[in-house]
Amino acid sequence: MTNSIITGWGKCLPPTVLTNHDLESLVDTNDDWITSRTGIKERRISHVGTAELATLAGKRALAAAGIEATDVDLVSVATCTPDMLIPSAASLVQDALGATNAGAIDQNAACSGFLYGLITASGMVQAGVIDTALVVGAERLTYFIDFTDRGTAVLFGDGAGAVVVQATDEPGGLKASDMGSDGSVANILWAPGSGTATNRMELQRNHHLQAIAMNGPEVFKRAVKAMGDSAADVVAKAGWDLDDVDLLIPHQANVRIIDATARRLQLDPAKVFVNIASYGNTSAATIPIALTEALESRRVTPGAKIVFAAFGAGLSWAAAAWEFGSRVEPLGTTDEELPPTDGNVMTLLADNFAYYGGGPAT
Ligand code: UT7
């Protein structure tokens, strides 16, 4: 069977920062609570749409892989916050990249979406259906955040990450995978008015139906179990011992969930990659952003055995045992950047406050 390895990686974080101190002027919260309960210090608010974030992360991943957009057979975008439902974010990204030989598909498994995309694209490469895929996780979650709800306002942020997976004879790539879902508890993390199920008159009366609503403690409990079990499952299926694992790259939702997952796996905390302090929870984007930063900080060595694990709305979960290839340096870079913004976070959120209510206390 052909192997499918990661040959390129990239991220795109919009520059405008919303700090814990900024949040203190929006809801009844404080830096100490947010830091100790979540590990988050700041998050980014995007001034551009999801597809634009995804496109720049994708361009950076293509440059790192040293390939052209026309070499890509499939653009897979994991997102639960696309610019629009029709067409897919992936089609917008495919066009913006000039990936004229690629098919394009969105995958929505919320925070598990990037792993669903990585596993399905890698499976297609291994089966010989395609040679090269660009797999992106991109979100503009703060569009759906009600900044009067302190249970969600402090957690989420915007951003994108991407990888290129390619067919190779080199050893490595996807060694084992697990994907799961329990839709019976869909309502513990949802945005019920974000699709066609809601009566339009009701939505007009209650905009909050469009915002992400969550039973945090319930999600927390299930997340620890789902991520831990799924990660342990792929380690066993790959025929690895836990000692073999070089790095766990978990979904970044809450540092306490990450710590509990590592404890469940009895994994040395030094082997766990955590960057939640800087970006909060960017849903499908956390893992490709974290992988990119792990490569940038040389935490990924040639042939490294990596476990990816995620959970999210659905509830959905996924894990992958992944052996990295021999190249951990990018082949190239691009100097493209997002269009400029004045970086005033409260101005950027004004539209959100006008819709859901709230705004800085004066
Ligand atoms: O990708 C999946 C996305 N979702 C998640 O990963 C969420 C998983 N859940 C969590 O991360 C945690 O449940 C939260 C961070 C959301 C909440 O932390 P918690 O430790 O479960 O707190 P809690 O909801 O049990 O609340 C504890 C206390 C309550 O006050 P009382 O009743 O003890 O007086 C809350 O009202 O903390 C209060 N509280 C806050 N205080 C300050 C809840 N949110 C806040 C806040 N600031 N933002």
Side-chain angles (χ1 to χ4, degrees):
M1 191 171 64
T2 309
N3 289 320
S4 159
I5 59 166
I6 292 175
T7 58
W9 48 88
K11 63 180 180 178
C12 175
L13 276 316
T16 308
V17 173
L18 179 71
T19 66
N20 289 353
H21 292 295
D22 293 328
L23 280 161
E24 290 172 1
S25 72
L26 297 178
V27 276
D28 180 14
T29 192
N30 57 75
D31 177 47
D32 275 355
W33 191 96
I34 304 172
T35 306
S36 61
R37 296 289 184 122
T38 72
I40 301 167
K41 296 299 276 185
E42 55 188 47
R43 64 292 289 142
R44 302 294 174 92
I45 309 291
S46 186
H47 62 295
V48 300
T50 304
E52 199 165 344
L53 297 172
T55 299
L56 188 51
K59 281 184 182 169
R60 290 172 175 161
L62 292 175
I67 63 169
E68 302 296 328
T70 47
D71 296 326
V72 175
D73 302 313
L74 178 71
V75 175
S76 166
V77 177
T79 185
C80 57
T81 53
D83 300 58
M84 57 194 86
L85 284 179
I86 304 167
S88 68
S91 282
L92 302 179
V93 174
Q94 171 273 316
D95 176 57
L97 290 173
T100 47
N101 299 314
I105 183 173
D106 281 8
Q107 300 205 44
N108 177 359
C111 303
S112 314
F114 174 77
L115 288 188
Y116 273 70
L118 182 67
I119 292 164
T120 52
S122 301
M124 290 173 77
V125 170
Q126 288 171 330
V129 177
I130 56 171
D131 282 331
T132 301
L134 178 69
V135 183
V136 187
E139 303 282 7
R140 193 181 185 190
L141 285 168
T142 58
Y143 185 88
F144 291 102
I145 295 301
D146 167 4
F147 281 93
T148 66
D149 175 5
R150 68 177 181 176
T152 54
V154 303
L155 296 178
F156 297 100
D158 303 332
V163 300
V164 173
V165 292
Q166 286 188 279
T168 177
D169 295 331
E170 190 186 316
L174 183 65
K175 295 295 165 188
S177 64
D178 178 52
M179 295 184 279
S181 168
D182 178 4
S184 71
V185 284
N187 64 355
I188 65 174
L189 175 49
W190 67 348
S194 58
T196 58
T198 307
N199 177 286
R200 290 191 178 96
M201 298 306 135
E202 205 181 325
L203 196 56
Q204 245 170 21
R205 279 191 299 272
N206 184 3
H207 291 162
H208 294 86
L209 289 170
Q210 255 187 359
I212 295 172
M214 182 175 68
N215 177 339
E218 202 51 49
V219 175
F220 190 107
K221 207 169 55 190
R222 290 166 190 272
V224 172
K225 181 166 173 15
M227 279 220 306
D229 288 355
S230 197
D233 178 59
V234 296
V235 169
K237 281 202 273 201
W240 297 351
D241 287 327
L242 280 170
D243 285 348
D244 295 334
V245 176
D246 296 304
L247 195 60
L248 170 67
I249 301 187
H251 171 47
Q252 312 279 315
N254 183 322
V255 76
R256 291 186 295 135
I257 295 177
I258 295 173
D259 290 347
T261 305
R263 274 199 305 278
R264 205 176 166 90
L265 288 174
Q266 297 177 321
L267 206 62
D268 177 355
K271 292 184 172 183
V272 184
F273 191 85
V274 184
N275 65 353
I276 192 171
S278 312
Y279 311 125
N281 181 348
T282 57
S283 190
T286 67
I287 289 183
I289 293 170
L291 173 63
T292 299
E293 297 199 339
L295 281 147
E296 287 167 352
S297 58
R298 299 180 187 277
R299 295 277 302 274
V300 178
T301 49
K305 290 187 169 62
I306 299 175
V307 174
F308 297 112
F311 74 95
L315 293 182
S316 62
W317 60 88
W322 191 278
E323 196 176 304
F324 214 81
S326 57
R327 181 172 58 78
V328 293
E329 299 287 340
L331 286 178
T333 57
T334 165
D335 51 15
E336 274 195 57
E337 295 290 342
L338 291 176
T341 165
D342 71 6
N344 182 329
V345 71
M346 295 304 170
T347 310
L348 207 49
L349 288 171
D351 171 60
N352 188 302
F353 302 146
Y355 192 64
Y356 292 121
T362 46

